[in-house]
Amino acid sequence: AEGNVSPVQMISAMEDAFGVHPGQRRNHIKGSCALGSFKGLAAGASYSRSALFSGQAIPVVARFSLGGGNPAAKDADKGVRGMALEFKLPGGALQHMTMINVPVFGAAKPQTFYDLLLALKPDPDTQRPDPAKVKAFVDSHPDFQAMAAFTQSHNPPASYANSPYYSLHAFQFLDKDNQATLVRWHFSPQDGEKPLTDAEREQAPANFLEQALIDRAAKGPVNWDMYLTLGQPGDPDNDPSHPWPQDRQQVKVGTLSITQAMAQDQGNCGPINFDPMVVADGIAVTDDPVLRARSAAYALSFGKRLSGQ
Ligand code: HEM
């Protein structure tokens, strides 16, 4: 079926798929907090007047996470890893970037993501998703396939520090003359990309990502370079399942340094809603329906967990 999916439908499908864990996120439930700063480059300032690219160090509160709503998920499980950033700009404005480590998203429209959640609802008899329903979902949603192929063919990272993270959505960067440039961005790890080997995946304990990040940050800043990908006329601005052609120009616009990590109940990322539509002057959202559905669903998840539901 086509049509708008309300946040109430979306979160209720998420709760049916993953269960309800009171006070916690309905998705990306397992994660860790971190702190650091971001330094922008003049190259960024030529596309966006955001204070991000002033060259001053901008304080950042971060959260790293596993996709999905299972708090007992294993860190070696295949699937999505997230990096959510809240930049505290001078004067009190906030900029969010809420990214995953997959370069293509599995839904052109909120309906596809909703249909996936419906297909993942555990069968009462087996307590597992019904494989026939999952297959029917996959067969009927071509926009899901690129992301599924990517997550199945890539082992997860050995550390959050060894993964890139992608905006997926396109945003408008606005310069000082209000000239707009359509961009996507990603953060590339200076520590390099390092997936677990198959043997490491089998032997890995359930929980290692948090301690690995704490240990790594204790040795010195963990850096990611931020790159823009510049859109060309005709590149879609409203479909995170649709990659742009490979030849699009990339521009390095800054570096994120994570200096400290901690458990999510010991840091200040817990009560933040990393809504990806929180943008400050110089960056603007498009009418991407997936981005809009995210914002609505995050608000509901946030309201529930803050009130102990
Ligand atoms: C329609 C599609 C999507 C829906 C309905 C959805 C829903 C959600 C919800 C409900 C949360 C928990 C929010 C909270 O309680 O604070 C969440 C977290 C998250 N989502 Fe999404 N999401 C979608 C797509 C995406 C995409 C495309 C990305 C990446 C580009 C993404 C990355 C993340 C990350 C990194 C988190 C964890 C944020 C944190 O650490 O607090 N999601 N999502």
PDB file of all heavy atoms in Angstrom, residues 10-11 14 25-28 63 65 82-84 98-100 105 113 166-169 272-274 290 293-294 297-298 301-302 305, ligand 1:
ATOM      1  N   MET A  10       4.426   4.000  12.778  1.00  0.00           N
ATOM      2  CA  MET A  10       5.831   3.607  12.628  1.00  0.00           C
ATOM      3  C   MET A  10       6.378   3.068  13.948  1.00  0.00           C
ATOM      4  O   MET A  10       7.009   2.002  13.993  1.00  0.00           O
ATOM      5  CB  MET A  10       6.646   4.813  12.151  1.00  0.00           C
ATOM      6  CG  MET A  10       8.030   4.492  11.684  1.00  0.00           C
ATOM      7  SD  MET A  10       8.055   3.567  10.113  1.00  0.00           S
ATOM      8  CE  MET A  10       8.244   4.875   8.912  1.00  0.00           C
ATOM      9  N   ILE A  11       6.151   3.798  15.034  1.00  0.00           N
ATOM     10  CA  ILE A  11       6.706   3.375  16.329  1.00  0.00           C
ATOM     11  C   ILE A  11       5.983   2.124  16.817  1.00  0.00           C
ATOM     12  O   ILE A  11       6.603   1.229  17.405  1.00  0.00           O
ATOM     13  CB  ILE A  11       6.626   4.528  17.358  1.00  0.00           C
ATOM     14  CG1 ILE A  11       7.570   5.666  16.925  1.00  0.00           C
ATOM     15  CG2 ILE A  11       6.969   4.047  18.767  1.00  0.00           C
ATOM     16  CD1 ILE A  11       9.039   5.301  16.833  1.00  0.00           C
ATOM     17  N   MET A  14       7.534  -0.694  15.116  1.00  0.00           N
ATOM     18  CA  MET A  14       8.872  -0.915  15.670  1.00  0.00           C
ATOM     19  C   MET A  14       8.763  -1.680  16.996  1.00  0.00           C
ATOM     20  O   MET A  14       9.540  -2.601  17.272  1.00  0.00           O
ATOM     21  CB  MET A  14       9.494   0.459  15.917  1.00  0.00           C
ATOM     22  CG  MET A  14      10.939   0.568  15.549  1.00  0.00           C
ATOM     23  SD  MET A  14      11.417   2.309  15.469  1.00  0.00           S
ATOM     24  CE  MET A  14      12.071   2.336  13.826  1.00  0.00           C
ATOM     25  N   ARG A  25      15.503   3.923  23.655  1.00  0.00           N
ATOM     26  CA  ARG A  25      15.224   4.220  22.252  1.00  0.00           C
ATOM     27  C   ARG A  25      14.498   3.052  21.578  1.00  0.00           C
ATOM     28  O   ARG A  25      14.836   1.890  21.821  1.00  0.00           O
ATOM     29  CB  ARG A  25      16.537   4.501  21.513  1.00  0.00           C
ATOM     30  CG  ARG A  25      17.128   5.880  21.785  1.00  0.00           C
ATOM     31  CD  ARG A  25      18.575   5.955  21.325  1.00  0.00           C
ATOM     32  NE  ARG A  25      19.119   7.312  21.392  1.00  0.00           N
ATOM     33  CZ  ARG A  25      19.508   7.930  22.509  1.00  0.00           C
ATOM     34  NH1 ARG A  25      19.411   7.310  23.677  1.00  0.00           N
ATOM     35  NH2 ARG A  25      19.982   9.165  22.466  1.00  0.00           N
ATOM     36  N   ARG A  26      13.555   3.374  20.697  1.00  0.00           N
ATOM     37  CA  ARG A  26      12.816   2.321  19.981  1.00  0.00           C
ATOM     38  C   ARG A  26      13.648   1.722  18.857  1.00  0.00           C
ATOM     39  O   ARG A  26      13.316   0.663  18.319  1.00  0.00           O
ATOM     40  CB  ARG A  26      11.522   2.897  19.406  1.00  0.00           C
ATOM     41  CG  ARG A  26      10.303   2.941  20.317  1.00  0.00           C
ATOM     42  CD  ARG A  26      10.524   2.602  21.742  1.00  0.00           C
ATOM     43  NE  ARG A  26       9.281   2.583  22.508  1.00  0.00           N
ATOM     44  CZ  ARG A  26       9.189   2.827  23.804  1.00  0.00           C
ATOM     45  NH1 ARG A  26      10.276   3.104  24.520  1.00  0.00           N
ATOM     46  NH2 ARG A  26       8.031   2.770  24.416  1.00  0.00           N
ATOM     47  N   ASN A  27      14.708   2.409  18.456  1.00  0.00           N
ATOM     48  CA  ASN A  27      15.621   1.893  17.426  1.00  0.00           C
ATOM     49  C   ASN A  27      17.026   2.319  17.855  1.00  0.00           C
ATOM     50  O   ASN A  27      17.173   3.249  18.642  1.00  0.00           O
ATOM     51  CB  ASN A  27      15.254   2.495  16.064  1.00  0.00           C
ATOM     52  CG  ASN A  27      15.930   1.786  14.901  1.00  0.00           C
ATOM     53  OD1 ASN A  27      16.549   0.738  15.079  1.00  0.00           O
ATOM     54  ND2 ASN A  27      15.816   2.360  13.721  1.00  0.00           N
ATOM     55  N   HIS A  28      18.035   1.630  17.365  1.00  0.00           N
ATOM     56  CA  HIS A  28      19.417   1.945  17.795  1.00  0.00           C
ATOM     57  C   HIS A  28      19.484   1.985  19.318  1.00  0.00           C
ATOM     58  O   HIS A  28      20.081   2.886  19.908  1.00  0.00           O
ATOM     59  CB  HIS A  28      19.892   3.266  17.177  1.00  0.00           C
ATOM     60  CG  HIS A  28      20.163   3.172  15.694  1.00  0.00           C
ATOM     61  ND1 HIS A  28      21.431   3.110  15.166  1.00  0.00           N
ATOM     62  CD2 HIS A  28      19.323   3.104  14.648  1.00  0.00           C
ATOM     63  CE1 HIS A  28      21.349   3.034  13.842  1.00  0.00           C
ATOM     64  NE2 HIS A  28      20.076   3.024  13.505  1.00  0.00           N
ATOM     65  N   ARG A  63      26.831   9.909  19.868  1.00  0.00           N
ATOM     66  CA  ARG A  63      26.370   8.586  20.302  1.00  0.00           C
ATOM     67  C   ARG A  63      26.629   7.603  19.175  1.00  0.00           C
ATOM     68  O   ARG A  63      26.262   7.857  18.028  1.00  0.00           O
ATOM     69  CB  ARG A  63      24.892   8.590  20.681  1.00  0.00           C
ATOM     70  CG  ARG A  63      24.419   7.258  21.258  1.00  0.00           C
ATOM     71  CD  ARG A  63      23.012   7.362  21.868  1.00  0.00           C
ATOM     72  NE  ARG A  63      22.547   6.063  22.336  1.00  0.00           N
ATOM     73  CZ  ARG A  63      21.907   5.172  21.562  1.00  0.00           C
ATOM     74  NH1 ARG A  63      21.637   5.456  20.303  1.00  0.00           N
ATOM     75  NH2 ARG A  63      21.527   4.002  22.070  1.00  0.00           N
ATOM     76  N   SER A  65      26.097   3.558  17.907  1.00  0.00           N
ATOM     77  CA  SER A  65      25.027   2.593  18.192  1.00  0.00           C
ATOM     78  C   SER A  65      24.988   1.452  17.183  1.00  0.00           C
ATOM     79  O   SER A  65      25.576   1.525  16.100  1.00  0.00           O
ATOM     80  CB  SER A  65      23.683   3.323  18.172  1.00  0.00           C
ATOM     81  OG  SER A  65      23.480   3.940  16.915  1.00  0.00           O
ATOM     82  N   GLY A  82      25.633   3.102  13.862  1.00  0.00           N
ATOM     83  CA  GLY A  82      25.290   4.514  13.732  1.00  0.00           C
ATOM     84  C   GLY A  82      26.267   5.424  14.440  1.00  0.00           C
ATOM     85  O   GLY A  82      26.909   5.029  15.427  1.00  0.00           O
ATOM     86  N   MET A  83      26.389   6.627  13.913  1.00  0.00           N
ATOM     87  CA  MET A  83      27.098   7.704  14.605  1.00  0.00           C
ATOM     88  C   MET A  83      26.217   8.943  14.550  1.00  0.00           C
ATOM     89  O   MET A  83      25.910   9.447  13.463  1.00  0.00           O
ATOM     90  CB  MET A  83      28.453   8.012  13.968  1.00  0.00           C
ATOM     91  CG  MET A  83      29.168   9.164  14.688  1.00  0.00           C
ATOM     92  SD  MET A  83      30.901   9.399  14.198  1.00  0.00           S
ATOM     93  CE  MET A  83      30.703  10.276  12.653  1.00  0.00           C
ATOM     94  N   ALA A  84      25.789   9.400  15.729  1.00  0.00           N
ATOM     95  CA  ALA A  84      24.933  10.582  15.825  1.00  0.00           C
ATOM     96  C   ALA A  84      25.738  11.690  16.485  1.00  0.00           C
ATOM     97  O   ALA A  84      26.398  11.461  17.502  1.00  0.00           O
ATOM     98  CB  ALA A  84      23.686  10.260  16.647  1.00  0.00           C
ATOM     99  N   THR A  98      22.940  12.591  11.933  1.00  0.00           N
ATOM    100  CA  THR A  98      22.612  11.270  12.473  1.00  0.00           C
ATOM    101  C   THR A  98      22.753  10.267  11.337  1.00  0.00           C
ATOM    102  O   THR A  98      21.895  10.191  10.464  1.00  0.00           O
ATOM    103  CB  THR A  98      21.200  11.274  13.082  1.00  0.00           C
ATOM    104  OG1 THR A  98      21.122  12.365  13.998  1.00  0.00           O
ATOM    105  CG2 THR A  98      20.906   9.985  13.813  1.00  0.00           C
ATOM    106  N   MET A  99      23.878   9.549  11.376  1.00  0.00           N
ATOM    107  CA  MET A  99      24.356   8.817  10.191  1.00  0.00           C
ATOM    108  C   MET A  99      24.467   7.308  10.459  1.00  0.00           C
ATOM    109  O   MET A  99      24.548   6.886  11.611  1.00  0.00           O
ATOM    110  CB  MET A  99      25.756   9.345   9.826  1.00  0.00           C
ATOM    111  CG  MET A  99      25.760  10.828   9.515  1.00  0.00           C
ATOM    112  SD  MET A  99      27.443  11.473   9.351  1.00  0.00           S
ATOM    113  CE  MET A  99      27.818  11.824  11.070  1.00  0.00           C
ATOM    114  N   ILE A 100      24.528   6.535   9.388  1.00  0.00           N
ATOM    115  CA  ILE A 100      24.841   5.109   9.509  1.00  0.00           C
ATOM    116  C   ILE A 100      26.002   4.745   8.591  1.00  0.00           C
ATOM    117  O   ILE A 100      26.388   5.519   7.711  1.00  0.00           O
ATOM    118  CB  ILE A 100      23.616   4.200   9.258  1.00  0.00           C
ATOM    119  CG1 ILE A 100      22.930   4.513   7.933  1.00  0.00           C
ATOM    120  CG2 ILE A 100      22.660   4.277  10.427  1.00  0.00           C
ATOM    121  CD1 ILE A 100      21.770   3.568   7.600  1.00  0.00           C
ATOM    122  N   PHE A 105      20.470   3.729   1.640  1.00  0.00           N
ATOM    123  CA  PHE A 105      19.421   3.349   2.586  1.00  0.00           C
ATOM    124  C   PHE A 105      18.401   2.437   1.906  1.00  0.00           C
ATOM    125  O   PHE A 105      18.186   2.520   0.701  1.00  0.00           O
ATOM    126  CB  PHE A 105      18.727   4.588   3.169  1.00  0.00           C
ATOM    127  CG  PHE A 105      17.848   4.258   4.344  1.00  0.00           C
ATOM    128  CD1 PHE A 105      18.375   3.641   5.463  1.00  0.00           C
ATOM    129  CD2 PHE A 105      16.487   4.544   4.328  1.00  0.00           C
ATOM    130  CE1 PHE A 105      17.569   3.313   6.551  1.00  0.00           C
ATOM    131  CE2 PHE A 105      15.670   4.228   5.407  1.00  0.00           C
ATOM    132  CZ  PHE A 105      16.217   3.607   6.523  1.00  0.00           C
ATOM    133  N   PHE A 113      10.122   1.187   4.759  1.00  0.00           N
ATOM    134  CA  PHE A 113      10.668   0.911   6.096  1.00  0.00           C
ATOM    135  C   PHE A 113       9.576   0.344   7.006  1.00  0.00           C
ATOM    136  O   PHE A 113       9.801  -0.610   7.759  1.00  0.00           O
ATOM    137  CB  PHE A 113      11.255   2.204   6.675  1.00  0.00           C
ATOM    138  CG  PHE A 113      12.143   1.982   7.863  1.00  0.00           C
ATOM    139  CD1 PHE A 113      13.442   1.520   7.715  1.00  0.00           C
ATOM    140  CD2 PHE A 113      11.697   2.256   9.148  1.00  0.00           C
ATOM    141  CE1 PHE A 113      14.268   1.320   8.819  1.00  0.00           C
ATOM    142  CE2 PHE A 113      12.510   2.058  10.254  1.00  0.00           C
ATOM    143  CZ  PHE A 113      13.797   1.589  10.096  1.00  0.00           C
ATOM    144  N   TYR A 166      27.611   7.766   6.888  1.00  0.00           N
ATOM    145  CA  TYR A 166      27.054   8.503   5.749  1.00  0.00           C
ATOM    146  C   TYR A 166      25.762   9.237   6.125  1.00  0.00           C
ATOM    147  O   TYR A 166      24.891   8.658   6.794  1.00  0.00           O
ATOM    148  CB  TYR A 166      26.715   7.523   4.612  1.00  0.00           C
ATOM    149  CG  TYR A 166      27.895   6.721   4.137  1.00  0.00           C
ATOM    150  CD1 TYR A 166      28.260   5.532   4.760  1.00  0.00           C
ATOM    151  CD2 TYR A 166      28.671   7.161   3.061  1.00  0.00           C
ATOM    152  CE1 TYR A 166      29.360   4.788   4.337  1.00  0.00           C
ATOM    153  CE2 TYR A 166      29.766   6.429   2.629  1.00  0.00           C
ATOM    154  CZ  TYR A 166      30.102   5.247   3.275  1.00  0.00           C
ATOM    155  OH  TYR A 166      31.191   4.522   2.845  1.00  0.00           O
ATOM    156  N   SER A 167      25.608  10.434   5.581  1.00  0.00           N
ATOM    157  CA  SER A 167      24.357  11.194   5.793  1.00  0.00           C
ATOM    158  C   SER A 167      23.186  10.520   5.090  1.00  0.00           C
ATOM    159  O   SER A 167      22.051  10.616   5.536  1.00  0.00           O
ATOM    160  CB  SER A 167      24.492  12.623   5.261  1.00  0.00           C
ATOM    161  OG  SER A 167      24.474  12.652   3.833  1.00  0.00           O
ATOM    162  N   LEU A 168      23.473   9.925   3.974  1.00  0.00           N
ATOM    163  CA  LEU A 168      22.485   9.324   3.067  1.00  0.00           C
ATOM    164  C   LEU A 168      21.526  10.354   2.470  1.00  0.00           C
ATOM    165  O   LEU A 168      21.392  10.456   1.253  1.00  0.00           O
ATOM    166  CB  LEU A 168      21.693   8.206   3.745  1.00  0.00           C
ATOM    167  CG  LEU A 168      22.562   7.009   4.134  1.00  0.00           C
ATOM    168  CD1 LEU A 168      21.741   5.934   4.796  1.00  0.00           C
ATOM    169  CD2 LEU A 168      23.257   6.439   2.917  1.00  0.00           C
ATOM    170  N   HIS A 169      20.856  11.072   3.313  1.00  0.00           N
ATOM    171  CA  HIS A 169      19.987  12.135   2.787  1.00  0.00           C
ATOM    172  C   HIS A 169      20.828  13.236   2.157  1.00  0.00           C
ATOM    173  O   HIS A 169      21.963  13.462   2.563  1.00  0.00           O
ATOM    174  CB  HIS A 169      19.152  12.758   3.906  1.00  0.00           C
ATOM    175  CG  HIS A 169      18.365  11.764   4.673  1.00  0.00           C
ATOM    176  ND1 HIS A 169      17.218  11.195   4.190  1.00  0.00           N
ATOM    177  CD2 HIS A 169      18.578  11.204   5.875  1.00  0.00           C
ATOM    178  CE1 HIS A 169      16.748  10.347   5.078  1.00  0.00           C
ATOM    179  NE2 HIS A 169      17.558  10.320   6.108  1.00  0.00           N
ATOM    180  N   ILE A 272      19.373  12.987  24.642  1.00  0.00           N
ATOM    181  CA  ILE A 272      19.308  13.799  23.418  1.00  0.00           C
ATOM    182  C   ILE A 272      18.466  13.074  22.369  1.00  0.00           C
ATOM    183  O   ILE A 272      18.604  11.862  22.182  1.00  0.00           O
ATOM    184  CB  ILE A 272      20.727  14.058  22.851  1.00  0.00           C
ATOM    185  CG1 ILE A 272      21.529  14.922  23.834  1.00  0.00           C
ATOM    186  CG2 ILE A 272      20.654  14.742  21.482  1.00  0.00           C
ATOM    187  CD1 ILE A 272      22.966  15.181  23.402  1.00  0.00           C
ATOM    188  N   ASN A 273      17.588  13.820  21.695  1.00  0.00           N
ATOM    189  CA  ASN A 273      16.914  13.313  20.505  1.00  0.00           C
ATOM    190  C   ASN A 273      17.749  13.756  19.294  1.00  0.00           C
ATOM    191  O   ASN A 273      17.705  14.923  18.910  1.00  0.00           O
ATOM    192  CB  ASN A 273      15.496  13.889  20.425  1.00  0.00           C
ATOM    193  CG  ASN A 273      14.814  13.547  19.114  1.00  0.00           C
ATOM    194  OD1 ASN A 273      15.350  12.779  18.299  1.00  0.00           O
ATOM    195  ND2 ASN A 273      13.641  14.114  18.882  1.00  0.00           N
ATOM    196  N   PHE A 274      18.492  12.810  18.707  1.00  0.00           N
ATOM    197  CA  PHE A 274      19.365  13.140  17.575  1.00  0.00           C
ATOM    198  C   PHE A 274      18.548  13.245  16.284  1.00  0.00           C
ATOM    199  O   PHE A 274      18.845  12.594  15.274  1.00  0.00           O
ATOM    200  CB  PHE A 274      20.494  12.112  17.438  1.00  0.00           C
ATOM    201  CG  PHE A 274      21.559  12.242  18.505  1.00  0.00           C
ATOM    202  CD1 PHE A 274      21.523  11.478  19.654  1.00  0.00           C
ATOM    203  CD2 PHE A 274      22.607  13.140  18.354  1.00  0.00           C
ATOM    204  CE1 PHE A 274      22.507  11.595  20.641  1.00  0.00           C
ATOM    205  CE2 PHE A 274      23.591  13.267  19.326  1.00  0.00           C
ATOM    206  CZ  PHE A 274      23.539  12.500  20.474  1.00  0.00           C
ATOM    207  N   VAL A 290      11.578  10.402   3.638  1.00  0.00           N
ATOM    208  CA  VAL A 290      12.176   9.506   4.645  1.00  0.00           C
ATOM    209  C   VAL A 290      12.763  10.347   5.783  1.00  0.00           C
ATOM    210  O   VAL A 290      12.593  10.027   6.964  1.00  0.00           O
ATOM    211  CB  VAL A 290      13.244   8.587   4.010  1.00  0.00           C
ATOM    212  CG1 VAL A 290      13.904   7.721   5.070  1.00  0.00           C
ATOM    213  CG2 VAL A 290      12.616   7.718   2.926  1.00  0.00           C
ATOM    214  N   ALA A 293       9.845  11.519   7.865  1.00  0.00           N
ATOM    215  CA  ALA A 293       9.278  10.437   8.690  1.00  0.00           C
ATOM    216  C   ALA A 293      10.206  10.106   9.856  1.00  0.00           C
ATOM    217  O   ALA A 293       9.748   9.761  10.956  1.00  0.00           O
ATOM    218  CB  ALA A 293       9.036   9.200   7.833  1.00  0.00           C
ATOM    219  N   ARG A 294      11.521  10.201   9.612  1.00  0.00           N
ATOM    220  CA  ARG A 294      12.462   9.974  10.713  1.00  0.00           C
ATOM    221  C   ARG A 294      12.198  10.977  11.826  1.00  0.00           C
ATOM    222  O   ARG A 294      12.054  10.609  12.985  1.00  0.00           O
ATOM    223  CB  ARG A 294      13.918  10.152  10.234  1.00  0.00           C
ATOM    224  CG  ARG A 294      14.437   9.042   9.373  1.00  0.00           C
ATOM    225  CD  ARG A 294      15.886   9.323   8.952  1.00  0.00           C
ATOM    226  NE  ARG A 294      16.825   9.264  10.078  1.00  0.00           N
ATOM    227  CZ  ARG A 294      18.112   9.586   9.984  1.00  0.00           C
ATOM    228  NH1 ARG A 294      18.616  10.020   8.837  1.00  0.00           N
ATOM    229  NH2 ARG A 294      18.887   9.481  11.033  1.00  0.00           N
ATOM    230  N   ALA A 297       9.147  10.197  13.803  1.00  0.00           N
ATOM    231  CA  ALA A 297       9.258   8.962  14.609  1.00  0.00           C
ATOM    232  C   ALA A 297      10.220   9.169  15.780  1.00  0.00           C
ATOM    233  O   ALA A 297       9.970   8.662  16.895  1.00  0.00           O
ATOM    234  CB  ALA A 297       9.732   7.808  13.720  1.00  0.00           C
ATOM    235  N   TYR A 298      11.315   9.891  15.564  1.00  0.00           N
ATOM    236  CA  TYR A 298      12.269  10.124  16.658  1.00  0.00           C
ATOM    237  C   TYR A 298      11.601  10.905  17.776  1.00  0.00           C
ATOM    238  O   TYR A 298      11.835  10.656  18.956  1.00  0.00           O
ATOM    239  CB  TYR A 298      13.508  10.896  16.166  1.00  0.00           C
ATOM    240  CG  TYR A 298      14.449  10.132  15.257  1.00  0.00           C
ATOM    241  CD1 TYR A 298      13.964   9.244  14.311  1.00  0.00           C
ATOM    242  CD2 TYR A 298      15.823  10.307  15.322  1.00  0.00           C
ATOM    243  CE1 TYR A 298      14.819   8.556  13.463  1.00  0.00           C
ATOM    244  CE2 TYR A 298      16.687   9.620  14.470  1.00  0.00           C
ATOM    245  CZ  TYR A 298      16.181   8.751  13.543  1.00  0.00           C
ATOM    246  OH  TYR A 298      17.023   8.072  12.704  1.00  0.00           O
ATOM    247  N   SER A 301       9.433   8.488  19.754  1.00  0.00           N
ATOM    248  CA  SER A 301      10.298   7.602  20.543  1.00  0.00           C
ATOM    249  C   SER A 301      10.894   8.364  21.725  1.00  0.00           C
ATOM    250  O   SER A 301      10.921   7.877  22.859  1.00  0.00           O
ATOM    251  CB  SER A 301      11.408   7.047  19.642  1.00  0.00           C
ATOM    252  OG  SER A 301      12.350   6.301  20.365  1.00  0.00           O
ATOM    253  N   PHE A 302      11.334   9.588  21.448  1.00  0.00           N
ATOM    254  CA  PHE A 302      11.936  10.437  22.486  1.00  0.00           C
ATOM    255  C   PHE A 302      10.928  10.733  23.589  1.00  0.00           C
ATOM    256  O   PHE A 302      11.225  10.581  24.786  1.00  0.00           O
ATOM    257  CB  PHE A 302      12.416  11.735  21.820  1.00  0.00           C
ATOM    258  CG  PHE A 302      13.147  12.683  22.719  1.00  0.00           C
ATOM    259  CD1 PHE A 302      14.331  12.313  23.346  1.00  0.00           C
ATOM    260  CD2 PHE A 302      12.661  13.971  22.929  1.00  0.00           C
ATOM    261  CE1 PHE A 302      15.014  13.216  24.163  1.00  0.00           C
ATOM    262  CE2 PHE A 302      13.344  14.870  23.739  1.00  0.00           C
ATOM    263  CZ  PHE A 302      14.514  14.495  24.362  1.00  0.00           C
ATOM    264  N   ARG A 305      10.322   7.561  25.671  1.00  0.00           N
ATOM    265  CA  ARG A 305      11.390   7.114  26.568  1.00  0.00           C
ATOM    266  C   ARG A 305      11.638   8.125  27.691  1.00  0.00           C
ATOM    267  O   ARG A 305      11.968   7.744  28.813  1.00  0.00           O
ATOM    268  CB  ARG A 305      12.662   6.779  25.794  1.00  0.00           C
ATOM    269  CG  ARG A 305      13.342   7.876  25.043  1.00  0.00           C
ATOM    270  CD  ARG A 305      14.461   7.298  24.171  1.00  0.00           C
ATOM    271  NE  ARG A 305      15.058   8.239  23.257  1.00  0.00           N
ATOM    272  CZ  ARG A 305      16.061   9.077  23.543  1.00  0.00           C
ATOM    273  NH1 ARG A 305      16.577   9.094  24.745  1.00  0.00           N
ATOM    274  NH2 ARG A 305      16.555   9.875  22.613  1.00  0.00           N
TER     275      ARG A 305
HETATM  276  C1  HEM B   1      11.911   5.889   7.921  1.00  0.00           C
HETATM  277  C2  HEM B   1      13.132   5.554   8.295  1.00  0.00           C
HETATM  278  C3  HEM B   1      13.611   5.583   9.726  1.00  0.00           C
HETATM  279  C4  HEM B   1      12.902   5.497  10.892  1.00  0.00           C
HETATM  280  C5  HEM B   1      11.396   5.362  11.082  1.00  0.00           C
HETATM  281  C6  HEM B   1      13.844   5.581  11.976  1.00  0.00           C
HETATM  282  C7  HEM B   1      13.516   5.541  13.323  1.00  0.00           C
HETATM  283  C8  HEM B   1      14.382   5.713  14.375  1.00  0.00           C
HETATM  284  C9  HEM B   1      14.010   5.852  15.766  1.00  0.00           C
HETATM  285  C10 HEM B   1      12.586   5.816  16.292  1.00  0.00           C
HETATM  286  C11 HEM B   1      15.142   6.038  16.480  1.00  0.00           C
HETATM  287  C12 HEM B   1      15.253   6.248  17.997  1.00  0.00           C
HETATM  288  C13 HEM B   1      15.114   7.748  18.281  1.00  0.00           C
HETATM  289  C14 HEM B   1      15.212   8.113  19.743  1.00  0.00           C
HETATM  290  O1  HEM B   1      14.531   7.522  20.612  1.00  0.00           O
HETATM  291  O2  HEM B   1      16.003   9.050  20.065  1.00  0.00           O
HETATM  292  C15 HEM B   1      16.248   5.994  15.547  1.00  0.00           C
HETATM  293  C16 HEM B   1      17.568   6.133  15.880  1.00  0.00           C
HETATM  294  C17 HEM B   1      18.598   6.242  14.968  1.00  0.00           C
HETATM  295  N1  HEM B   1      18.493   6.239  13.593  1.00  0.00           N
HETATM  296 FE1  HEM B   1      16.822   6.037  12.536  1.00  0.00          FE
HETATM  297  N2  HEM B   1      15.108   5.723  11.457  1.00  0.00           N
HETATM  298  C18 HEM B   1      15.006   5.730  10.093  1.00  0.00           C
HETATM  299  C19 HEM B   1      16.034   5.900   9.190  1.00  0.00           C
HETATM  300  C20 HEM B   1      17.335   6.171   9.504  1.00  0.00           C
HETATM  301  C21 HEM B   1      18.365   6.556   8.568  1.00  0.00           C
HETATM  302  C22 HEM B   1      18.159   6.753   7.054  1.00  0.00           C
HETATM  303  C23 HEM B   1      19.510   6.734   9.295  1.00  0.00           C
HETATM  304  C24 HEM B   1      20.870   7.193   8.853  1.00  0.00           C
HETATM  305  C25 HEM B   1      21.097   7.961   7.803  1.00  0.00           C
HETATM  306  C26 HEM B   1      19.197   6.458  10.685  1.00  0.00           C
HETATM  307  C27 HEM B   1      20.084   6.514  11.728  1.00  0.00           C
HETATM  308  C28 HEM B   1      19.752   6.407  13.065  1.00  0.00           C
HETATM  309  C29 HEM B   1      20.713   6.514  14.140  1.00  0.00           C
HETATM  310  C30 HEM B   1      22.230   6.687  14.011  1.00  0.00           C
HETATM  311  C31 HEM B   1      19.984   6.412  15.327  1.00  0.00           C
HETATM  312  C32 HEM B   1      20.519   6.486  16.749  1.00  0.00           C
HETATM  313  C33 HEM B   1      20.507   7.942  17.197  1.00  0.00           C
HETATM  314  C34 HEM B   1      21.017   8.065  18.607  1.00  0.00           C
HETATM  315  O3  HEM B   1      22.144   7.610  18.862  1.00  0.00           O
HETATM  316  O4  HEM B   1      20.287   8.601  19.456  1.00  0.00           O
HETATM  317  N3  HEM B   1      17.868   6.144  10.778  1.00  0.00           N
HETATM  318  N4  HEM B   1      15.762   5.806  14.279  1.00  0.00           N
END
